[in-house]
Amino acid sequence: MIRASTTRWTVFAPLLAALALVATWGRSLPTVGVIVVAVFLAGAVLAAVHHAEIVAHRVGEPFGSLVLAVAVTVIEVALIVTLMISGGEKSATLARDTVFAAVMITCNGIFGLALLVGALRRRLAVFNAEGTGAALATVATLSTLSLVLPTFTSSVPGPEFSPAQLAFAAVASLALYGLFVMVQTVRHRDDFLPVEGDGVVTDDDTTVERPTVRATLTGLGLLLVALVGVVGLAKVVSPAIESAVANAGMPPAAVGVAIALLVLLPETLAAVRAARRDQVQISLNLALGSAMASIGLTIPAIAVATIWLQGPLVLGLGATQMVLLALTVVVGVLTVVPGRATLLQGGVHLALFSAFVFLAASP
């Protein structure tokens, strides 16, 4: 159960991570330094989960699921733009690789873990098919518009959008994400609330005292600090990851996958905790909401950044990636339609996630 109060370690972990970020930013670290930074990174991840749950418990669902998803994505966008500015032509596929990795991690990794944990506890993981189906449809549409169509358009050679096409994709992504948030939080809020085993929609747990306004604001501030620490320290250790990937003979896309896994750790842990409390719907809200935020906020930000960024912007997926995306959507639909899932569905999504990680490392 979520505690309204904030324990000492959850206060100090984000602050220490921020200090470590300031001390190590832009520096080449030895092996010992990388290990120390990794420890601070892990502490920031766990603290981010704690503070996100405090805020979520105060504002209720489905607003709470939006807090972590949007916060992580905003900082992720800033990280992508920063790396693209400093990376030049070498970062032409960075936005594509990061967004696609986020979609596969959330829609297969987090999704599958939530269903697996929920099914282990109650034999069946129960959720609201209407809300989850609408979220999956939005993710599929955003992914196709932003990541699949550039491979087939002909205005510009290669898997790239023309300026007009990129502007359209950016506006469409932002509009769809905004529309989904309105539907999720206002017009059809009940479709995104947890359900009991008999299909009855349940609102927030009123038997537990909600955090005070002061505790919530403190948690929100520390959440933002922790997320900055997570993303910043992930960038600090990324050279070590790049070196390890290069030494292992893996493709550059594997770096984006590794960094995306680090950045999405807070959401993954929060989703698993929710599933352990028999609130699978909250886990699915986090997974699909994170995928939508990653596309709906990243593509418009990159479109604006191209005004001053140099070099090409490759958004179109390759054949292998499109097959994985198509299979993810099909399997996701078959999983969502019944409104309940067994261990098998969770295992299928985790198998797809494993295939994505393996093929990213060994294409």
Side-chain angles (χ1 to χ4, degrees), residues 9-19 21 37 40-52 68 71-72 75 218-234 262-266:
W9 78 266
T10 59
V11 174
F12 289 123
L15 299 178
L16 290 174
L19 290 175
L21 177 59
V37 168
F40 285 121
L41 176 60
V45 167
L46 296 175
V49 173
H50 175 83
H51 295 302
L68 187 57
V72 167
I75 300 175
T218 301
L220 180 60
L222 290 171
L223 169 63
L224 295 177
V225 173
L227 290 174
V228 170
V230 169
V231 178
L233 293 179
L262 288 174
V263 172
L264 288 169
L265 264 179

Side-chain angles (χ1 to χ4, degrees), residues 16 46 51 59 78 99 102 108 110 149 155 159 165 169 200 218 236 265 269-270 286 304 307 317 323 344 360-361:
L16 290 174
L46 296 175
H51 295 302
V59 301
V99 170
N108 285 319
I110 300 178
L149 286 183
S155 297
Q165 291 168 343
V200 178
T218 301
V236 169
L265 264 179
L269 295 178
L286 271 171
V304 173
I307 297 174
L317 297 174
V323 169
L344 177 60

Side-chain angles (χ1 to χ4, degrees), residues 196-240:
E196 298 288 354
D198 54 3
V200 178
V201 176
T202 60
D203 211 328
D204 303 313
D205 187 3
T206 56
T207 63
V208 180
E209 183 182 357
R210 290 188 176 186
T212 63
V213 174
R214 180 179 179 182
T216 303
L217 293 176
T218 301
L220 180 60
L222 290 171
L223 169 63
L224 295 177
V225 173
L227 290 174
V228 170
V230 169
V231 178
L233 293 179
K235 184 179 184 301
V236 169
V237 300
S238 62

Side-chain angles (χ1 to χ4, degrees), residues 84 89-99 252-253 312-316:
M84 289 187 70
E89 292 189 1
K90 294 187 297 182
S91 61
T93 62
L94 178 63
R96 180 199 68 185
D97 294 338
T98 304
V99 170
L313 175 63
V314 177
L315 289 177

Side-chain angles (χ1 to χ4, degrees), residues 27 84 250:
R27 299 183 180 181
M84 289 187 70
M250 292 186 288

